[in-house]
Amino acid sequence: MPRLFFFVMKTSFYLLLPAVLLLGSCKKTTDKQAELAVQDFVRNRVSDAANYFPGKFRLKPYTKRDSLLYLAELAQINGTPAPPAPTAADTTRIGILVHHDYRDEMRDGEMIRDSGEYVVRPNGEVRLLMAESVRQKRLKQVQQQSSVGALR
């Protein structure tokens, strides 16, 4: 009886191990696909594709809530009506937010370091976002202009 038990346990372990390894690698594959999609997106927009040198990637889930908050900030910057406020139900993941640093060598040999924020949708579509540092700077300018206008 103990031999049968050990045989079943050993066989189960060897059958489950590949499934666990495969499931563990799925996230990496999705992240790697997002990185490759961003690389292709950037490579097609730099001065010369051969002079694009990818750097670091930082990835995190991007939800409907994140999208609504981003659109609300853009609406405030542009002075347009804001989208509906996010709700507790807006936690659905709609893509991967990718922060990407890279170098672009110009034709004259000048090397430019740049970065961008992108959302990669599940279908592989890449959307360029306005960088958070730029959004915050513009929001601050809008708020300062609003407070000056209110004082008049």
Side-chain angles (χ1 to χ4, degrees), residues 3 6 8 16 23 33 41 57-58 60 70 82 88 91 99 117 120 125 134 143 147-149:
R3 284 186 174 174
F6 286 119
V8 170
L16 289 176
L23 287 175
Q33 288 175 345
F41 184 86
F57 291 90
R58 293 184 314 277
K60 73 177 201 176
Y70 174 78
T91 57
H99 299 270
E117 293 181 11
V120 180
E125 177 186 352
V134 174
Q143 291 167 350
S147 63
V148 169

Side-chain angles (χ1 to χ4, degrees), residues 8-52:
V8 170
M9 293 302 292
K10 187 176 180 181
T11 305
S12 299
F13 173 76
Y14 286 115
L15 291 175
L16 289 176
L17 182 63
V20 170
L21 292 175
L22 182 63
L23 287 175
S25 67
C26 287
K27 181 174 178 6
K28 292 176 186 171
T29 301
T30 302
D31 289 351
K32 188 64 176 173
Q33 288 175 345
E35 288 179 12
L36 292 173
V38 168
Q39 280 184 5
D40 287 343
F41 184 86
V42 174
R43 186 175 284 117
N44 291 323
R45 285 161 179 77
V46 294
S47 61
D48 185 357
N51 294 332
Y52 160 71

